[in-house]
Amino acid sequence: MCGIVGAIRARHNVVEFLTDGLKRLEYRGYDSAGIAVNDGSKIRRVRRVGRVALMEAAAQEKNLSGHIGIGHTRWATHGGVTEPNAHPHISGGLIAVVHNGIIENFEAERSRLQGLGYAFESQTDTEVIAHSVKHEYSNNGGDLFAAVQAACARFHGAFAIAVMAQDNPEQMVVARMGCPLLVAFGEDETFIASDVSAVIAFTRRIAYLEDGDIALLNAQGLLKLTDKNGREAQRTVKTSELSLASLELGPYSHFMQKEIHEQPRAVADTAEIFLSGGFEAANFGTDAAAVFQKIRSIKILACGTSYYAALTAKYWLEAIARIRTDVEIASEYRYRNVIADPDELVVTISQSGETLDTMEALKYAQSLGQTHSLSICNVMESALPRASELVLYTRAGAEIGVASTKAFTTQLVVLFGLAVTLGKLRGHIDDAQAAAYVEELRQLPGSIQHALNLEPQIAAWAQQFAKKSSALFLGRGIHYPIALEGALKLKEITYIHAEAYPAGELKHGPLALVDEDMPVVVIAPNDALLDKVKANMQEVGARGGELFVFTDLDSEFAGDDGVHLIRTPRHVGILSPIVHTIPVQLLSYHTALARGTDVDKPRNLAKSVTVE
């Protein structure tokens, strides 16, 4: 959540980068924005509640200019959405700070600093950082690096910060603990950001900071970097392969629309891992074969959409690989008294690789002696892959829309590949069956494209959904998680209340909600449970409910006045959940359009959740 940018530019005004970078981080979710620059004589600041464009206009009006500056988009945690709570925060006109994360002991630090005479102007935990650094700056003779180092030693929690001093217009100090932060290098200019998308228009030379890192920067690059133990360290500079075009809308109206339509390519690119290399353990890392031979069970930890991908994978892993699989919400697992199994593989799933609850859940599992871990992630060199024994990256490309689409379907492809790989390694899948699964993966992008071709019909349904205040989603077996995902998408971007249930649970409570004003969406592919689903649909029809059914071309359904049908391509077998994801994504998108909501930036939500 939130976004950080900063730069020291020897030959250029820093404001251009700060505003451009913050605009590229808008997808992360925020409610206010601000920048501060050191113009050589004082620190000047502009903050505004609302979109970056409002802040940009104010900065232009005030003619902000300087060669060093920091910026921030805030998603409120401590304190309301007000200008005094917006970043950057300044202490005594001397120290300016931007911060992502949460300082858990901020109340104690606030009391300590008030006792030292510091007055607070905001309700935030971040202002504690500004005053603490200023205090240490005075104690350390104007040494900004030492001041940040001393201040950070007092903080508990997760944070990424950037700090500049009014009387030191050539240098900046940054620190990372639990929240993402990178340093990027140009010609006589150095940038910092919480996401590579903020800097890619200016440079591709990137170094990712690690937990505990504190770095001193100037326009020529890194002057000093220490690790969590206070020892001097180096971080590898890599060339980012992120395409600038992937961060632009092109012919689409919204990033969510673009990313829905990118799924045939994203799925094909991810499936190529297995199409070219086969279902081999080596796809997951050089030590994967040895690790996979040792494990007796799997624990998957994830949040949000990734959690629903994990629920789908449970069916595949137990049916194909015949390995016991548990799925847990990471934010719950990390606070539970867990019975740990050292022979269990801990799998974490995260689009960003920086989801704080998932990262902390992995650390908790590792602290219990669970050494075998696998990360499934879409962002190279992010925190989860670096902390994991094994990793396999999805090839979704940049995903900007807050509501995840192509990240979800590519996660499913990798999880299916994991199930088949383990099934083959454990002797439950022979070469002929593995070849059949390869062919099913090969056909999958085409089936997704056929599902995308149903968009006009789904858009027509959306006009009816836009008038509703609640909706119910039903599925059975492996398609129940897709019903959950459909309900989540509708909630996220349309603000319609939606719930999902296994269809067999209708009579155990949810049936009480069904009437003519409650649309009921049913995921009903032509599989072994179709007759069971039809019986559940009868229960809805008998109570006057209106059914909207996503089924297959080869299923036997007859639409009538209370049953609306959209047929996806012929049933694609075990990969059906991936294909049936497309219609529920399109239904949410077009319902949001009809209701006029902010599709890519739904209220109160953020793309990368780096706080609890």
Side-chain angles (χ1 to χ4, degrees):
M1 293 179 159
C2 313
I4 286 177
V5 294
I8 313 167
R9 310 185 75 190
R11 293 177 288 178
H12 302 284
N13 183 5
V14 77
V15 174
E16 172 201 7
F17 166 75
L18 296 178
T19 53
D20 183 80
L22 290 181
K23 286 178 180 178
R24 295 187 184 278
L25 294 181
E26 285 188 292
Y27 76 93
R28 294 172 70 93
Y30 70 105
D31 44 51
S32 61
I35 61 173
V37 300
N38 188 340
D39 67 3
S41 60
K42 65 179 179 179
I43 294 175
R44 301 179 65 199
R45 174 179 64 182
V46 170
R47 300 179 292 178
R48 290 293 184 270
V49 170
R51 295 302 182 200
V52 172
L54 296 174
M55 183 277 299
E56 180 183 23
Q60 291 174 345
E61 183 179 336
K62 292 188 176 184
N63 196 30
L64 246 63
S65 179
H67 294 288
I68 181 172
I70 52 180
H72 191 267
T73 50
R74 176 178 186 252
W75 188 85
T77 53
H78 296 76
V81 183
T82 65
E83 190 170 306
N85 286 336
H87 298 213
H89 288 282
I90 298 175
S91 179
L94 181 63
I95 298 293
V97 173
V98 290
H99 161 231
N100 283 351
I102 290 177
I103 304 301
E104 294 175 356
N105 61 331
F106 86 99
E107 290 177 329
E109 282 296 291
R110 186 183 181 103
S111 296
R112 182 182 71 87
L113 290 161
Q114 285 173 329
L116 292 170
Y118 289 91
F120 283 76
E121 300 175 353
S122 77
Q123 302 165 296
T124 69
D125 55 339
T126 303
E127 195 175 0
V128 163
I129 301 173
H131 292 321
S132 184
V133 172
K134 179 179 180 294
H135 188 71
E136 298 296 343
Y137 194 65
S138 300
N139 289 345
N140 285 275
D143 185 330
L144 188 60
F145 184 89
V148 173
Q149 199 171 40
C152 286
R154 301 189 65 92
F155 303 146
H156 303 157
F159 54 85
I161 62 174
V163 185
M164 63 181 187
Q166 179 271 326
D167 59 354
N168 186 356
E170 307 296 330
Q171 296 180 344
M172 180 185 300
V173 175
V174 297
R176 174 198 169 151
M177 179 58 73
C179 293
L181 197 64
L182 61 87
V183 182
F185 308 96
E187 294 296 327
D188 291 327
E189 53 188 7
T190 303
F191 308 94
I192 62 104
S194 49
D195 191 304
V196 67
S197 61
V199 301
I200 201 68
F202 293 81
T203 182
R204 292 183 175 276
R205 297 179 61 236
I206 311 293
Y208 292 91
L209 299 186
E210 298 185 5
D211 273 358
D213 283 358
I214 301 176
L216 176 66
L217 316 170
N218 68 6
Q220 282 67 50
L222 271 171
L223 295 176
K224 182 179 182 181
L225 187 149
T226 58
D227 64 15
K228 62 184 178 181
N229 298 311
R231 293 192 292 258
E232 291 205 20
Q234 294 183 330
R235 298 292 171 243
T236 303
V237 178
K238 300 185 177 182
T239 301
S240 173
E241 296 179 0
L242 182 65
S243 165
L244 190 59
S246 69
L247 306 177
E248 306 293 345
L249 272 174
Y252 297 98
S253 300
H254 301 91
F255 280 106
M256 184 178 181
Q257 181 190 30
K258 178 187 181 211
E259 288 153 13
I260 288 173
H261 282 269
E262 285 176 340
Q263 285 175 111
R265 170 52 54 194
V267 164
D269 288 347
T270 303
E272 184 61 27
I273 297 166
F274 306 105
L275 297 181
S276 61
F279 295 106
E280 300 298 331
N283 292 322
F284 297 86
T286 55
D287 298 328
V291 171
F292 289 167
Q293 291 285 4
K294 295 175 185 176
I295 61 170
R296 298 185 302 179
S297 62
I298 291 176
K299 175 85 70 182
I300 309 182
L301 304 171
C303 301
T305 286
S306 295
Y307 172 68
Y308 298 146
L311 289 178
T312 308
K314 176 181 171 70
Y315 288 90
W316 285 330
L317 286 160
E318 295 194 339
I320 298 172
R322 308 300 299 158
I323 186 167
R324 180 172 59 80
T325 302
D326 293 325
V327 178
E328 298 209 35
I329 296 171
S331 58
E332 292 294 318
Y333 172 85
R334 61 182 287 209
Y335 294 112
R336 195 162 63 74
N337 192 0
V338 174
I339 299 173
D341 180 356
D343 294 323
E344 186 170 62
L345 177 67
V346 177
V347 179
T348 56
I349 311 173
S350 168
Q351 188 280 140
S352 67
E354 303 285 355
T355 307
L356 182 65
D357 282 318
T358 308
M359 186 69 212
E360 292 301 317
L362 173 61
K363 290 179 182 177
Y364 177 47
Q366 290 171 334
S367 74
L368 298 174
Q370 296 188 267
T371 59
H372 302 311
S373 59
L374 165 66
S375 169
I376 296 172
C377 178
N378 192 46
V379 179
M380 298 286 286
E381 296 299 317
S382 50
L384 275 166
R386 291 202 306 271
S388 300
E389 184 180 26
L390 308 174
V391 62
L392 202 155
Y393 292 103
T394 58
R395 297 176 180 176
E399 188 179 67
I400 305 300
V402 166
S404 181
T405 52
K406 61 180 180 173
F408 177 70
T409 48
T410 53
Q411 285 170 358
L412 289 176
V413 170
V414 168
L415 288 163
F416 176 74
L418 175 63
V420 179
T421 300
L422 288 172
K424 185 178 174 185
L425 197 65
R426 293 162 67 88
H428 299 298
I429 298 296
D430 59 22
D431 289 344
Q433 183 61 71
Y437 285 144
V438 165
E439 189 57 31
E440 290 190 54
L441 274 180
R442 198 183 308 279
Q443 298 296 326
L444 183 59
S447 297
I448 291 173
Q449 185 58 57
H450 285 306
L452 286 168
N453 294 342
L454 300 169
E455 189 166 9
Q457 297 165 254
I458 297 170
W461 278 11
Q463 297 300 316
Q464 299 181 62
F465 274 76
K467 303 169 188 175
K468 305 296 184 180
S469 59
S470 295
L472 194 62
F473 284 70
L474 303 176
R476 292 201 77 147
I478 198 169
H479 293 89
Y480 165 53
I482 307 308
L484 287 165
E485 175 65 6
L488 177 63
K489 286 291 167 284
L490 199 69
K491 278 183 279 198
E492 282 182 313
I493 64 170
T494 72
Y495 316 143
I496 294 172
H497 173 255
E499 289 188 75
Y501 284 90
E505 283 293 292
L506 262 178
K507 60 180 69 68
H508 298 288
L511 201 56
L513 298 172
V514 172
D515 61 20
E516 63 275 6
D517 293 321
M518 171 78 79
V520 180
V521 179
V522 185
I523 314 298
N526 188 22
D527 61 13
L529 293 173
L530 179 59
D531 287 339
K532 298 291 185 184
V533 174
K534 287 181 178 180
N536 301 136
M537 289 168 53
Q538 292 291 333
E539 295 169 349
V540 173
R543 275 76 179 176
E546 193 169 12
L547 290 152
F548 294 81
V549 184
F550 291 114
T551 187
D552 296 326
L553 196 61
D554 48 3
S555 64
E556 295 181 3
F557 262 111
D560 55 35
D561 290 341
V563 181
H564 309 279
L565 295 176
I566 289 181
R567 298 180 186 272
T568 60
R570 63 175 180 78
H571 185 51
V572 296
I574 201 164
L575 296 176
S576 175
I578 300 176
V579 175
H580 277 275
T581 298
I582 310 305
V584 298
Q585 292 175 349
L586 289 170
L587 178 62
S588 297
Y589 173 72
H590 284 284
T591 303
L593 285 188
R595 287 171 68 91
T597 60
D598 192 338
V599 174
D600 287 334
K601 307 182 193 73
R603 67 190 183 199
N604 304 332
L605 300 180
K607 182 67 176 174
S608 181
V609 185
T610 56
V611 297
E612 281 197 75

